[in-house]
Amino acid sequence: MCSCGLRSCGGHGSGTAVSSPYAAEPAPEERAQRIAKAVRKQSIEVKENWEQLKIRASNWQKQVEKTLEKLQELQKVLDDLEAHVITAEGVHTDWQPVSDLLIDSLQDHFDKTTQLSWSKSVFLRMRRLSDILPLL
């Protein structure tokens, strides 16, 4: 009889395998505990990863909302500028060539062109536009 307690064992020093198929397997209870421990470990990892994903998704949502607000502000500025450009183009198309103007009406035409004092507001909108763009 071998030291392992089996009569059919060829001996552990001889290099032959143990003939009993159950000698290397853990008991079913031990195997169940190992599986349960592995499942608990994976469950904890999944929970931690889920929490991190929720935090990242929340941060991403906040960033998307801020970007949307900036884009909406940009759109408003662009719409305002477009309206001013359309107005300016309308006034410009009504201008007569300088060679066709009478000297007596020059002051009147000059006054009409200076009524386009929107240049300051356009400048301010353009400046706001240049402030918004780097933030996007």
Side-chain angles (χ1 to χ4, degrees), residues 94-131:
D94 291 341
W95 287 352
Q96 295 176 0
V98 175
S99 61
D100 293 349
L101 296 176
L102 299 174
I103 292 178
D104 295 339
S105 65
L106 283 178
Q107 185 62 42
D108 184 44
H109 288 286
F110 179 75
D111 291 342
K112 286 181 182 178
T113 57
T114 57
Q115 285 177 351
L116 292 176
S117 61
W118 55 268
S119 60
K120 184 176 181 178
S121 65
V122 169
F123 173 75
L124 293 174
R125 284 179 174 81
M126 290 296 288
R127 189 168 185 183
R128 181 66 187 139
L129 182 63
S130 66
D131 290 342

mmCIF file of all heavy atoms in Angstrom, residues 94-131:
data_model
loop_
_atom_site.group_PDB
_atom_site.id
_atom_site.type_symbol
_atom_site.label_atom_id
_atom_site.label_comp_id
_atom_site.label_asym_id
_atom_site.label_seq_id
_atom_site.Cartn_x
_atom_site.Cartn_y
_atom_site.Cartn_z
ATOM 1 N N ASP A 94 -29.263 100.091 -52.961
ATOM 2 C CA ASP A 94 -30.011 101.318 -53.269
ATOM 3 C C ASP A 94 -29.086 102.505 -53.553
ATOM 4 O O ASP A 94 -29.561 103.553 -53.993
ATOM 5 C CB ASP A 94 -30.957 101.682 -52.105
ATOM 6 C CG ASP A 94 -32.099 100.682 -51.977
ATOM 7 O OD1 ASP A 94 -32.358 99.955 -52.958
ATOM 8 O OD2 ASP A 94 -32.714 100.620 -50.896
ATOM 9 N N TRP A 95 -27.832 102.350 -53.277
ATOM 10 C CA TRP A 95 -26.900 103.465 -53.506
ATOM 11 C C TRP A 95 -26.759 103.741 -55.003
ATOM 12 O O TRP A 95 -26.713 102.832 -55.828
ATOM 13 C CB TRP A 95 -25.523 103.150 -52.942
ATOM 14 C CG TRP A 95 -25.408 103.192 -51.455
ATOM 15 C CD1 TRP A 95 -26.342 103.621 -50.573
ATOM 16 C CD2 TRP A 95 -24.280 102.780 -50.695
ATOM 17 N NE1 TRP A 95 -25.876 103.499 -49.298
ATOM 18 C CE2 TRP A 95 -24.602 102.991 -49.335
ATOM 19 C CE3 TRP A 95 -23.034 102.255 -51.008
ATOM 20 C CZ2 TRP A 95 -23.718 102.691 -48.307
ATOM 21 C CZ3 TRP A 95 -22.159 101.964 -49.972
ATOM 22 C CH2 TRP A 95 -22.501 102.190 -48.640
ATOM 23 N N GLN A 96 -26.641 105.002 -55.278
ATOM 24 C CA GLN A 96 -26.379 105.414 -56.656
ATOM 25 C C GLN A 96 -24.865 105.568 -56.805
ATOM 26 O O GLN A 96 -24.171 105.883 -55.842
ATOM 27 C CB GLN A 96 -27.048 106.750 -56.952
ATOM 28 C CG GLN A 96 -28.560 106.700 -56.906
ATOM 29 C CD GLN A 96 -29.149 108.090 -57.115
ATOM 30 O OE1 GLN A 96 -28.447 109.072 -57.282
ATOM 31 N NE2 GLN A 96 -30.477 108.155 -57.110
ATOM 32 N N PRO A 97 -24.381 105.356 -57.988
ATOM 33 C CA PRO A 97 -22.948 105.604 -58.184
ATOM 34 C C PRO A 97 -22.621 107.061 -57.845
ATOM 35 O O PRO A 97 -23.430 107.970 -58.091
ATOM 36 C CB PRO A 97 -22.728 105.320 -59.666
ATOM 37 C CG PRO A 97 -23.877 104.471 -60.075
ATOM 38 C CD PRO A 97 -25.023 104.841 -59.191
ATOM 39 N N VAL A 98 -21.481 107.290 -57.283
ATOM 40 C CA VAL A 98 -21.077 108.632 -56.870
ATOM 41 C C VAL A 98 -21.095 109.593 -58.062
ATOM 42 O O VAL A 98 -21.484 110.764 -57.937
ATOM 43 C CB VAL A 98 -19.675 108.599 -56.212
ATOM 44 C CG1 VAL A 98 -19.190 109.998 -55.882
ATOM 45 C CG2 VAL A 98 -19.713 107.739 -54.968
ATOM 46 N N SER A 99 -20.737 109.105 -59.198
ATOM 47 C CA SER A 99 -20.712 109.979 -60.383
ATOM 48 C C SER A 99 -22.103 110.453 -60.782
ATOM 49 O O SER A 99 -22.251 111.491 -61.446
ATOM 50 C CB SER A 99 -20.054 109.259 -61.554
ATOM 51 O OG SER A 99 -20.793 108.104 -61.874
ATOM 52 N N ASP A 100 -23.145 109.742 -60.367
ATOM 53 C CA ASP A 100 -24.514 110.115 -60.711
ATOM 54 C C ASP A 100 -25.138 111.065 -59.687
ATOM 55 O O ASP A 100 -26.236 111.565 -59.906
ATOM 56 C CB ASP A 100 -25.400 108.876 -60.824
ATOM 57 C CG ASP A 100 -25.032 107.988 -61.993
ATOM 58 O OD1 ASP A 100 -24.220 108.442 -62.846
ATOM 59 O OD2 ASP A 100 -25.545 106.859 -62.056
ATOM 60 N N LEU A 101 -24.475 111.292 -58.576
ATOM 61 C CA LEU A 101 -25.049 112.127 -57.520
ATOM 62 C C LEU A 101 -24.844 113.610 -57.831
ATOM 63 O O LEU A 101 -23.816 114.026 -58.375
ATOM 64 C CB LEU A 101 -24.397 111.807 -56.170
ATOM 65 C CG LEU A 101 -24.623 110.396 -55.633
ATOM 66 C CD1 LEU A 101 -23.838 110.208 -54.347
ATOM 67 C CD2 LEU A 101 -26.094 110.133 -55.382
ATOM 68 N N LEU A 102 -25.813 114.365 -57.460
ATOM 69 C CA LEU A 102 -25.704 115.816 -57.575
ATOM 70 C C LEU A 102 -25.028 116.348 -56.316
ATOM 71 O O LEU A 102 -25.195 115.805 -55.222
ATOM 72 C CB LEU A 102 -27.094 116.441 -57.721
ATOM 73 C CG LEU A 102 -27.897 116.008 -58.952
ATOM 74 C CD1 LEU A 102 -29.301 116.584 -58.891
ATOM 75 C CD2 LEU A 102 -27.197 116.467 -60.231
ATOM 76 N N ILE A 103 -24.292 117.402 -56.482
ATOM 77 C CA ILE A 103 -23.564 117.967 -55.347
ATOM 78 C C ILE A 103 -24.527 118.390 -54.251
ATOM 79 O O ILE A 103 -24.244 118.207 -53.067
ATOM 80 C CB ILE A 103 -22.687 119.155 -55.794
ATOM 81 C CG1 ILE A 103 -21.567 118.622 -56.676
ATOM 82 C CG2 ILE A 103 -22.116 119.897 -54.603
ATOM 83 C CD1 ILE A 103 -20.666 119.690 -57.217
ATOM 84 N N ASP A 104 -25.682 118.880 -54.617
ATOM 85 C CA ASP A 104 -26.651 119.325 -53.615
ATOM 86 C C ASP A 104 -27.199 118.164 -52.777
ATOM 87 O O ASP A 104 -27.603 118.364 -51.640
ATOM 88 C CB ASP A 104 -27.825 120.054 -54.288
ATOM 89 C CG ASP A 104 -27.408 121.350 -54.972
ATOM 90 O OD1 ASP A 104 -26.335 121.877 -54.597
ATOM 91 O OD2 ASP A 104 -28.140 121.808 -55.869
ATOM 92 N N SER A 105 -27.221 116.952 -53.335
ATOM 93 C CA SER A 105 -27.787 115.804 -52.602
ATOM 94 C C SER A 105 -26.717 114.967 -51.893
ATOM 95 O O SER A 105 -27.040 113.973 -51.263
ATOM 96 C CB SER A 105 -28.585 114.932 -53.564
ATOM 97 O OG SER A 105 -27.724 114.364 -54.532
ATOM 98 N N LEU A 106 -25.467 115.372 -51.982
ATOM 99 C CA LEU A 106 -24.399 114.598 -51.345
ATOM 100 C C LEU A 106 -24.594 114.492 -49.836
ATOM 101 O O LEU A 106 -24.396 113.421 -49.247
ATOM 102 C CB LEU A 106 -23.021 115.191 -51.651
ATOM 103 C CG LEU A 106 -22.468 114.906 -53.029
ATOM 104 C CD1 LEU A 106 -21.124 115.598 -53.211
ATOM 105 C CD2 LEU A 106 -22.332 113.422 -53.262
ATOM 106 N N GLN A 107 -24.966 115.567 -49.187
ATOM 107 C CA GLN A 107 -25.155 115.533 -47.734
ATOM 108 C C GLN A 107 -26.271 114.557 -47.368
ATOM 109 O O GLN A 107 -26.152 113.806 -46.400
ATOM 110 C CB GLN A 107 -25.461 116.931 -47.189
ATOM 111 C CG GLN A 107 -25.556 116.987 -45.668
ATOM 112 C CD GLN A 107 -24.253 116.601 -44.974
ATOM 113 O OE1 GLN A 107 -23.192 117.015 -45.403
ATOM 114 N NE2 GLN A 107 -24.350 115.798 -43.939
ATOM 115 N N ASP A 108 -27.338 114.556 -48.128
ATOM 116 C CA ASP A 108 -28.452 113.646 -47.873
ATOM 117 C C ASP A 108 -28.000 112.192 -48.001
ATOM 118 O O ASP A 108 -28.304 111.343 -47.149
ATOM 119 C CB ASP A 108 -29.600 113.945 -48.835
ATOM 120 C CG ASP A 108 -30.816 113.089 -48.555
ATOM 121 O OD1 ASP A 108 -31.164 112.953 -47.359
ATOM 122 O OD2 ASP A 108 -31.395 112.553 -49.522
ATOM 123 N N HIS A 109 -27.238 111.879 -49.028
ATOM 124 C CA HIS A 109 -26.733 110.515 -49.221
ATOM 125 C C HIS A 109 -25.730 110.147 -48.128
ATOM 126 O O HIS A 109 -25.713 109.014 -47.647
ATOM 127 C CB HIS A 109 -26.090 110.368 -50.609
ATOM 128 C CG HIS A 109 -27.091 110.361 -51.710
ATOM 129 N ND1 HIS A 109 -27.902 109.285 -51.974
ATOM 130 C CD2 HIS A 109 -27.430 111.318 -52.621
ATOM 131 C CE1 HIS A 109 -28.692 109.558 -52.997
ATOM 132 N NE2 HIS A 109 -28.420 110.799 -53.407
ATOM 133 N N PHE A 110 -24.939 111.117 -47.740
ATOM 134 C CA PHE A 110 -23.981 110.874 -46.662
ATOM 135 C C PHE A 110 -24.724 110.565 -45.365
ATOM 136 O O PHE A 110 -24.355 109.642 -44.631
ATOM 137 C CB PHE A 110 -23.060 112.087 -46.486
ATOM 138 C CG PHE A 110 -22.070 111.908 -45.385
ATOM 139 C CD1 PHE A 110 -20.966 111.087 -45.545
ATOM 140 C CD2 PHE A 110 -22.241 112.567 -44.157
ATOM 141 C CE1 PHE A 110 -20.060 110.916 -44.520
ATOM 142 C CE2 PHE A 110 -21.340 112.390 -43.136
ATOM 143 C CZ PHE A 110 -20.241 111.560 -43.310
ATOM 144 N N ASP A 111 -25.777 111.294 -45.074
ATOM 145 C CA ASP A 111 -26.576 111.053 -43.866
ATOM 146 C C ASP A 111 -27.210 109.662 -43.883
ATOM 147 O O ASP A 111 -27.267 108.981 -42.860
ATOM 148 C CB ASP A 111 -27.653 112.122 -43.719
ATOM 149 C CG ASP A 111 -27.081 113.490 -43.395
ATOM 150 O OD1 ASP A 111 -25.911 113.551 -42.954
ATOM 151 O OD2 ASP A 111 -27.803 114.494 -43.597
ATOM 152 N N LYS A 112 -27.675 109.245 -45.041
ATOM 153 C CA LYS A 112 -28.287 107.919 -45.156
ATOM 154 C C LYS A 112 -27.259 106.808 -44.885
ATOM 155 O O LYS A 112 -27.565 105.799 -44.252
ATOM 156 C CB LYS A 112 -28.911 107.720 -46.543
ATOM 157 C CG LYS A 112 -30.193 108.487 -46.726
ATOM 158 C CD LYS A 112 -30.770 108.230 -48.108
ATOM 159 C CE LYS A 112 -32.032 109.031 -48.313
ATOM 160 N NZ LYS A 112 -32.595 108.856 -49.664
ATOM 161 N N THR A 113 -26.061 106.997 -45.380
ATOM 162 C CA THR A 113 -25.035 105.964 -45.169
ATOM 163 C C THR A 113 -24.565 105.937 -43.712
ATOM 164 O O THR A 113 -24.237 104.888 -43.181
ATOM 165 C CB THR A 113 -23.823 106.164 -46.093
ATOM 166 O OG1 THR A 113 -23.272 107.456 -45.880
ATOM 167 C CG2 THR A 113 -24.195 105.951 -47.524
ATOM 168 N N THR A 114 -24.571 107.101 -43.060
ATOM 169 C CA THR A 114 -24.164 107.114 -41.644
ATOM 170 C C THR A 114 -25.261 106.577 -40.743
ATOM 171 O O THR A 114 -25.011 106.282 -39.585
ATOM 172 C CB THR A 114 -23.752 108.525 -41.192
ATOM 173 O OG1 THR A 114 -24.819 109.421 -41.427
ATOM 174 C CG2 THR A 114 -22.485 108.975 -41.888
ATOM 175 N N GLN A 115 -26.468 106.477 -41.274
ATOM 176 C CA GLN A 115 -27.536 105.870 -40.486
ATOM 177 C C GLN A 115 -27.253 104.381 -40.246
ATOM 178 O O GLN A 115 -27.852 103.760 -39.389
ATOM 179 C CB GLN A 115 -28.888 106.049 -41.170
ATOM 180 C CG GLN A 115 -29.420 107.448 -41.059
ATOM 181 C CD GLN A 115 -30.734 107.601 -41.816
ATOM 182 O OE1 GLN A 115 -31.150 106.716 -42.555
ATOM 183 N NE2 GLN A 115 -31.374 108.753 -41.627
ATOM 184 N N LEU A 116 -26.352 103.846 -41.025
ATOM 185 C CA LEU A 116 -25.945 102.449 -40.796
ATOM 186 C C LEU A 116 -24.956 102.406 -39.636
ATOM 187 O O LEU A 116 -23.861 101.895 -39.736
ATOM 188 C CB LEU A 116 -25.314 101.857 -42.055
ATOM 189 C CG LEU A 116 -26.227 101.652 -43.238
ATOM 190 C CD1 LEU A 116 -25.423 101.153 -44.425
ATOM 191 C CD2 LEU A 116 -27.304 100.648 -42.879
ATOM 192 N N SER A 117 -25.383 102.964 -38.538
ATOM 193 C CA SER A 117 -24.511 103.014 -37.359
ATOM 194 C C SER A 117 -24.477 101.659 -36.656
ATOM 195 O O SER A 117 -24.058 101.557 -35.524
ATOM 196 C CB SER A 117 -24.992 104.096 -36.404
ATOM 197 O OG SER A 117 -26.295 103.799 -35.967
ATOM 198 N N TRP A 118 -24.946 100.687 -37.341
ATOM 199 C CA TRP A 118 -24.925 99.337 -36.780
ATOM 200 C C TRP A 118 -23.515 98.791 -36.718
ATOM 201 O O TRP A 118 -23.283 97.738 -36.143
ATOM 202 C CB TRP A 118 -25.821 98.402 -37.580
ATOM 203 C CG TRP A 118 -25.495 98.377 -39.048
ATOM 204 C CD1 TRP A 118 -26.025 99.141 -40.020
ATOM 205 C CD2 TRP A 118 -24.540 97.540 -39.706
ATOM 206 N NE1 TRP A 118 -25.479 98.852 -41.237
ATOM 207 C CE2 TRP A 118 -24.558 97.873 -41.078
ATOM 208 C CE3 TRP A 118 -23.660 96.549 -39.271
ATOM 209 C CZ2 TRP A 118 -23.742 97.249 -42.014
ATOM 210 C CZ3 TRP A 118 -22.857 95.931 -40.200
ATOM 211 C CH2 TRP A 118 -22.885 96.286 -41.552
ATOM 212 N N SER A 119 -22.553 99.494 -37.264
ATOM 213 C CA SER A 119 -21.191 98.966 -37.298
ATOM 214 C C SER A 119 -20.669 98.678 -35.896
ATOM 215 O O SER A 119 -19.957 97.711 -35.682
ATOM 216 C CB SER A 119 -20.260 99.925 -38.024
ATOM 217 O OG SER A 119 -20.232 101.176 -37.373
ATOM 218 N N LYS A 120 -21.060 99.519 -34.915
ATOM 219 C CA LYS A 120 -20.618 99.265 -33.537
ATOM 220 C C LYS A 120 -21.261 97.992 -33.005
ATOM 221 O O LYS A 120 -20.596 97.162 -32.392
ATOM 222 C CB LYS A 120 -20.951 100.448 -32.638
ATOM 223 C CG LYS A 120 -20.426 100.277 -31.234
ATOM 224 C CD LYS A 120 -20.667 101.499 -30.381
ATOM 225 C CE LYS A 120 -20.093 101.268 -28.997
ATOM 226 N NZ LYS A 120 -20.260 102.428 -28.129
ATOM 227 N N SER A 121 -22.559 97.822 -33.253
ATOM 228 C CA SER A 121 -23.220 96.609 -32.761
ATOM 229 C C SER A 121 -22.685 95.372 -33.483
ATOM 230 O O SER A 121 -22.568 94.308 -32.884
ATOM 231 C CB SER A 121 -24.729 96.708 -32.894
ATOM 232 O OG SER A 121 -25.108 96.763 -34.247
ATOM 233 N N VAL A 122 -22.378 95.504 -34.759
ATOM 234 C CA VAL A 122 -21.791 94.385 -35.497
ATOM 235 C C VAL A 122 -20.418 94.055 -34.918
ATOM 236 O O VAL A 122 -20.072 92.900 -34.720
ATOM 237 C CB VAL A 122 -21.697 94.695 -37.011
ATOM 238 C CG1 VAL A 122 -20.851 93.670 -37.728
ATOM 239 C CG2 VAL A 122 -23.082 94.755 -37.612
ATOM 240 N N PHE A 123 -19.655 95.110 -34.630
ATOM 241 C CA PHE A 123 -18.336 94.889 -34.026
ATOM 242 C C PHE A 123 -18.474 94.140 -32.704
ATOM 243 O O PHE A 123 -17.723 93.201 -32.439
ATOM 244 C CB PHE A 123 -17.614 96.229 -33.805
ATOM 245 C CG PHE A 123 -16.340 96.091 -33.039
ATOM 246 C CD1 PHE A 123 -15.202 95.572 -33.643
ATOM 247 C CD2 PHE A 123 -16.275 96.461 -31.707
ATOM 248 C CE1 PHE A 123 -14.023 95.427 -32.941
ATOM 249 C CE2 PHE A 123 -15.095 96.329 -30.991
ATOM 250 C CZ PHE A 123 -13.968 95.809 -31.607
ATOM 251 N N LEU A 124 -19.431 94.552 -31.873
ATOM 252 C CA LEU A 124 -19.625 93.883 -30.576
ATOM 253 C C LEU A 124 -20.052 92.429 -30.767
ATOM 254 O O LEU A 124 -19.600 91.543 -30.053
ATOM 255 C CB LEU A 124 -20.652 94.646 -29.741
ATOM 256 C CG LEU A 124 -20.218 96.035 -29.271
ATOM 257 C CD1 LEU A 124 -21.373 96.749 -28.570
ATOM 258 C CD2 LEU A 124 -19.011 95.933 -28.349
ATOM 259 N N ARG A 125 -20.902 92.186 -31.760
ATOM 260 C CA ARG A 125 -21.329 90.809 -32.021
ATOM 261 C C ARG A 125 -20.169 89.960 -32.546
ATOM 262 O O ARG A 125 -20.017 88.804 -32.192
ATOM 263 C CB ARG A 125 -22.505 90.801 -32.992
ATOM 264 C CG ARG A 125 -23.803 91.204 -32.338
ATOM 265 C CD ARG A 125 -24.960 91.220 -33.317
ATOM 266 N NE ARG A 125 -26.218 91.469 -32.673
ATOM 267 C CZ ARG A 125 -26.663 92.667 -32.322
ATOM 268 N NH1 ARG A 125 -25.939 93.725 -32.554
ATOM 269 N NH2 ARG A 125 -27.838 92.809 -31.754
ATOM 270 N N MET A 126 -19.354 90.579 -33.401
ATOM 271 C CA MET A 126 -18.181 89.859 -33.909
ATOM 272 C C MET A 126 -17.211 89.542 -32.764
ATOM 273 O O MET A 126 -16.618 88.474 -32.714
ATOM 274 C CB MET A 126 -17.472 90.679 -34.987
ATOM 275 C CG MET A 126 -18.244 90.802 -36.285
ATOM 276 S SD MET A 126 -18.484 89.217 -37.094
ATOM 277 C CE MET A 126 -16.837 88.902 -37.662
ATOM 278 N N ARG A 127 -17.079 90.477 -31.860
ATOM 279 C CA ARG A 127 -16.210 90.229 -30.705
ATOM 280 C C ARG A 127 -16.771 89.098 -29.846
ATOM 281 O O ARG A 127 -16.033 88.240 -29.381
ATOM 282 C CB ARG A 127 -16.076 91.513 -29.892
ATOM 283 C CG ARG A 127 -15.048 91.394 -28.820
ATOM 284 C CD ARG A 127 -14.731 92.730 -28.243
ATOM 285 N NE ARG A 127 -13.652 92.563 -27.300
ATOM 286 C CZ ARG A 127 -13.171 93.514 -26.576
ATOM 287 N NH1 ARG A 127 -13.631 94.726 -26.699
ATOM 288 N NH2 ARG A 127 -12.216 93.277 -25.723
ATOM 289 N N ARG A 128 -18.083 89.103 -29.637
ATOM 290 C CA ARG A 128 -18.721 88.023 -28.873
ATOM 291 C C ARG A 128 -18.517 86.694 -29.590
ATOM 292 O O ARG A 128 -18.247 85.679 -28.961
ATOM 293 C CB ARG A 128 -20.212 88.316 -28.691
ATOM 294 C CG ARG A 128 -20.945 87.276 -27.902
ATOM 295 C CD ARG A 128 -20.468 87.225 -26.470
ATOM 296 N NE ARG A 128 -21.075 86.109 -25.768
ATOM 297 C CZ ARG A 128 -20.430 85.338 -24.919
ATOM 298 N NH1 ARG A 128 -19.170 85.574 -24.611
ATOM 299 N NH2 ARG A 128 -21.036 84.339 -24.346
ATOM 300 N N LEU A 129 -18.625 86.718 -30.889
ATOM 301 C CA LEU A 129 -18.398 85.526 -31.687
ATOM 302 C C LEU A 129 -16.976 85.008 -31.482
ATOM 303 O O LEU A 129 -16.755 83.815 -31.282
ATOM 304 C CB LEU A 129 -18.646 85.836 -33.162
ATOM 305 C CG LEU A 129 -18.515 84.704 -34.163
ATOM 306 C CD1 LEU A 129 -19.547 83.630 -33.890
ATOM 307 C CD2 LEU A 129 -18.665 85.234 -35.566
ATOM 308 N N SER A 130 -16.010 85.916 -31.494
ATOM 309 C CA SER A 130 -14.612 85.489 -31.292
ATOM 310 C C SER A 130 -14.387 85.021 -29.864
ATOM 311 O O SER A 130 -13.463 84.226 -29.614
ATOM 312 C CB SER A 130 -13.656 86.620 -31.645
ATOM 313 O OG SER A 130 -13.804 87.700 -30.757
ATOM 314 N N ASP A 131 -15.206 85.462 -28.915
ATOM 315 C CA ASP A 131 -15.100 84.968 -27.538
ATOM 316 C C ASP A 131 -15.702 83.566 -27.404
ATOM 317 O O ASP A 131 -15.218 82.748 -26.627
ATOM 318 C CB ASP A 131 -15.833 85.902 -26.567
ATOM 319 C CG ASP A 131 -15.138 87.240 -26.407
ATOM 320 O OD1 ASP A 131 -13.934 87.334 -26.752
ATOM 321 O OD2 ASP A 131 -15.790 88.194 -25.932
#
